[in-house]
């Protein structure tokens, strides 16, 4: 019984840690949908580009992937802004399916570019720590614990930003009534751009 409970606890905690990574991904997707009412079908491919970027920096420059994040995050912010300007913004005043098909097309395009450039071979980066973290009877990869901590930090930061900053209030006003927000002097198109790029 004790072994069974230990196995169950190991699976439960490991699932929570891995699930936090998916939660971090979904926050960006939810933020974009909540503000722009747009489902970005290429959201997963954005993550793929970021991971390939981290892999390339760690392999070519010998840097740790966590250090590479300081270059990857701003680069993805710029990439998201570019996608918004070139693909999303022109379709916002058109029927909803226009943006749906545009992001689906972008998703397929990015997948095939990645296949041509990187092939389908598995690529990985060396682990940050050689040993697992032991907490009582449970074993965890250090990367999962770091990912959980980063997710928690991002969640709390986003919550604070939405509730307490001018940008967050402008985003909430845009969600409630875009036209009224624009009449109150909020630059709604810029809010859309910041939200999509940030997501």
């Amino acid at each position: 019984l004790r072994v069974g409970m230990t196995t169950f606890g190991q699976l439960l905690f490991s699932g929570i840690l891995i699930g936090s990574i998916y939660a971090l991904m979904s926050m960006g997707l939810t933020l974009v949908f909540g503000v722009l009412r747009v489902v970005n079908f290429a959201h997963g491919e954005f993550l793929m580009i970021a991971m390939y970027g981290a892999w390339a920096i760690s392999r070519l420059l010998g840097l740790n992937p966590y250090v590479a994040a300081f270059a990857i995050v701003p680069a993805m912010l710029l990439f998201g802004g570019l996608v918004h300007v070139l693909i999303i913004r022109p379709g916002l005043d058109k029927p909803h399916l226009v943006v749906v098909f545009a992001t689906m097309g972008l998703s397929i395009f990015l997948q095939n570019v990645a296949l041509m450039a990187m092939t389908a071979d598995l690529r990985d980066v060396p682990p940050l720590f050689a040993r697992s973290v032991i907490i009582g009877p449970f074993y965890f990869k250090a990367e999962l614990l770091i990912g959980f901590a980063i997710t928690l930090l991002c969640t709390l930061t986003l919550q604070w930003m939405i509730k307490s900053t001018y940008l967050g209030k402008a985003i909430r006003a845009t969600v409630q009534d875009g036209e009224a927000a624009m009449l109150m002097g909020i630059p709604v198109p810029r809010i859309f751009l910041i939200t999509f790029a940030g997501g």
Side-chain angles (χ1 to χ4, degrees), residues 67-90:
V67 176
F70 289 101
I72 296 297
V73 171
M76 292 308 300
L77 189 72
L78 292 175
F79 181 72
L82 185 65
V83 169
H84 175 78
V85 169
L86 297 179
I87 297 175
I88 304 299
R89 182 185 289 171

Side-chain angles (χ1 to χ4, degrees), residues 50-75:
M51 288 191 290
Y52 273 132
W55 174 84
I57 289 176
S58 67
R59 286 295 182 188
L60 299 177
L61 301 180
L63 296 177
N64 187 283
Y66 291 94
V67 176
F70 289 101
I72 296 297
V73 171

Side-chain angles (χ1 to χ4, degrees), residues 20-35:
S20 71
I21 306 300
Y22 291 102
L24 184 61
M25 291 171 51
S26 68
M27 277 196 306
L29 191 64
T30 304
L31 184 64
V32 170
F33 179 75
V35 177

Side-chain angles (χ1 to χ4, degrees), residues 20 23-24 27 148-162:
S20 71
L24 184 61
M27 277 196 306
F148 180 80
I150 290 172
T151 298
L152 191 61
L153 178 64
C154 289
T155 302
L156 295 174
T157 302
L158 181 63
Q159 187 177 28
W160 169 80
M161 188 270 292
I162 292 293

